[in-house]
Amino acid sequence: MNVMPRIAKPEDAGFDPARLANITNYFQSYVDRGKVAGFSTLVSRGGEIAHFETAGMRDRERGLPMEKDTIFRIYSMTKPITSLALMMLYEEGHFQLNHAVSRYIPSFKKLRVWASGTAQKYDTRPCEREMTIRDLLTHTSGLTYGFMYEHPVDQLYRDAGIEGANTVDLTLKEMVEAVAEIPLLFSPGEHWNYSVSTDVCGHLVEVLSGRPLDEFLTSRIFAPLGMVDTAFFVPKEKLGRFATNYFKNPKTGKSGIMDVGDETSSYAQPPKFLSGGGGLTSTMTDYWRFCQMLLNGGELDGVRICSPKTIEFMTMNHLPRGKEMKEMSISAFSELAAEGAGFGLGFQVVLDPAVTQAIGSAGNFSWGGAASTYFWIDPEEDLIAILMTQLYPSSTYPLRPQLQQLVYGAIID
């Protein structure tokens, strides 16, 4: 079990204590109204944790409280970790960002683009150019997710058993090979679309390193950073700390349990599919250590994971011609709003806070997970904020912008 970090006085980190305490008071109202079972919030500045609180239950039915060492499904907050893993191999000279993916995954050489038809009978056309590794890291690859329910290609994903982090019958390699048989939504580089791209990045980590994704992440990132509770499954001795995942159907309003945090969970044993796009479980302190390493420029507690220049490069806007996500997006879903933001190599990047209509700084980089988890890093303010809860989907309530309002409203220095 990870050692709980020291909590600094809010005023020593430039916060008003009463305003910072209002974060817990505010989100407690979600718990009191039965909208969220429980939550945990953390805010740090200058490397000092000034706020780390929990409220409510990690399992409402069993009366188990949310605690500081509770384990969460972080879903797409896995993506920045996998993206960093791939860029660590970039640092070592294993590939160039403009290399065709087919150079390392030969089946991607035959990719074609959807032209017309139905999921049962369709026509394709050639790609305008080959998919590059940069396309994967920026979600401009032409790939998609089966859960979009917007296009016949989404149906083809579901028919092939490609269900993102919920894929169960395929290995990572098998999933990538299955994707190669399905048309792209568009030619690489033409649009932005949330997708299984980061799962393909995870397989590239395996191909380039010669190691399974879980082994690479553990040996190169989790163990060096002391992220002792981050993995693709929750071992038996830790299941007592695993939160239950709830859902609320946005169309019907029906709510219930999606996955219980016990031995019946699909996370209670090592998965066949290692989802680099959404398969990890973690804790608040583990993910804070990952974020603090990023904010420090690739180093934490004397351990260097990567170069500061690599972090700087990953958190630039890499969309073509400096475009915003809003200009390029055709996605039916994204974890975060597209206005005023670009996309780097694994992170959304704020370009203009005024356009985002959410208080913050230009250069903020962030992402979230399907069960309403969220983090952002503000280099200008030397600030990290993390929200963990377990409510699917993440669009159910505006928890993320509300947390930003509360955190920035507490800064007084």
Side-chain angles (χ1 to χ4, degrees), residues 18-51:
R19 286 170 172 257
L20 203 59
N22 194 43
I23 294 172
T24 305
N25 299 333
Y26 186 90
F27 287 111
Q28 179 69 49
S29 69
Y30 276 98
V31 175
D32 294 343
R33 289 176 289 164
K35 294 179 178 294
V36 175
F39 66 88
S40 184
T41 48
L42 183 152
V43 182
S44 72
R45 200 166 181 223
E48 297 280 325
I49 295 177
H51 165 94

Side-chain angles (χ1 to χ4, degrees), residues 81-98:
I81 294 174
T82 300
S83 299
L84 178 66
L86 186 56
M87 290 303 293
M88 290 165 69
L89 292 167
Y90 171 84
E91 284 187 330
E92 297 170 4
H94 288 274
F95 66 92
Q96 298 294 307
L97 287 172
N98 61 2

Side-chain angles (χ1 to χ4, degrees), residues 36-251:
V36 175
F39 66 88
S40 184
T41 48
L42 183 152
V43 182
S44 72
R45 200 166 181 223
E48 297 280 325
I49 295 177
H51 165 94
F52 185 9
E53 298 293 339
T54 67
M57 301 290 171
R58 68 178 185 274
D59 187 304
R60 186 188 283 136
E61 290 67 29
R62 292 185 289 172
L64 301 175
M66 187 69 74
E67 297 177 309
K68 291 184 176 180
D69 63 351
T70 292
I71 298 173
F72 302 88
R73 301 157 194 79
I74 63 170
Y75 287 115
S76 286
M77 279 168 59
T78 303
K79 286 181 170 69
I81 294 174
T82 300
S83 299
L84 178 66
L86 186 56
M87 290 303 293
M88 290 165 69
L89 292 167
Y90 171 84
E91 284 187 330
E92 297 170 4
H94 288 274
F95 66 92
Q96 298 294 307
L97 287 172
N98 61 2
H99 280 175
V101 177
S102 64
R103 181 168 177 161
Y104 308 100
I105 306 174
S107 58
F108 273 46
K109 187 74 175 178
K110 62 186 177 187
L111 287 172
R112 291 177 64 85
V113 179
W114 174 274
S116 62
T118 67
Q120 291 72 41
K121 185 177 175 60
Y122 54 86
D123 295 318
T124 62
R125 58 182 172 83
C127 297
E128 293 297 321
R129 64 164 173 80
E130 282 209 59
M131 182 193 301
T132 67
I133 295 177
R134 176 170 159 173
D135 291 324
L136 291 174
L137 286 162
T138 56
H139 291 286
T140 58
S141 63
L143 299 172
T144 189
Y145 267 125
F147 65 72
M148 297 290 195
Y149 287 89
E150 287 283 318
H151 194 280
V153 170
D154 307 340
Q155 179 67 53
L156 294 176
Y157 275 55
R158 297 192 297 274
D159 291 346
I162 303 167
E163 295 283 358
N166 296 320
T167 301
V168 293
D169 295 326
L170 304 172
T171 65
L172 180 52
K173 181 179 180 180
E174 288 169 346
M175 173 266 185
V176 170
E177 294 300 321
V179 163
E181 301 295 327
I182 299 174
L184 299 175
L185 276 182
F186 51 83
S187 282
E190 287 184 350
H191 301 288
W192 190 94
N193 188 65
Y194 203 39
S195 72
V196 299
S197 288
T198 318
D199 288 306
V200 181
C201 288
H203 184 50
L204 280 173
V205 170
E206 297 186 323
V207 171
L208 295 165
S209 70
R211 306 173 70 181
L213 181 60
D214 55 348
E215 289 185 14
F216 185 92
L217 295 181
T218 298
S219 65
R220 296 289 302 274
I221 298 177
F222 304 154
L225 290 178
M227 296 171 66
V228 297
D229 289 323
T230 304
F232 284 103
F233 76 105
V234 181
K236 185 176 181 180
E237 66 272 16
K238 297 182 181 181
L239 278 173
R241 295 192 279 131
F242 193 31
T244 286
N245 194 15
Y246 297 88
F247 75 88
K248 182 171 183 179
N249 188 308
K251 294 181 179 179

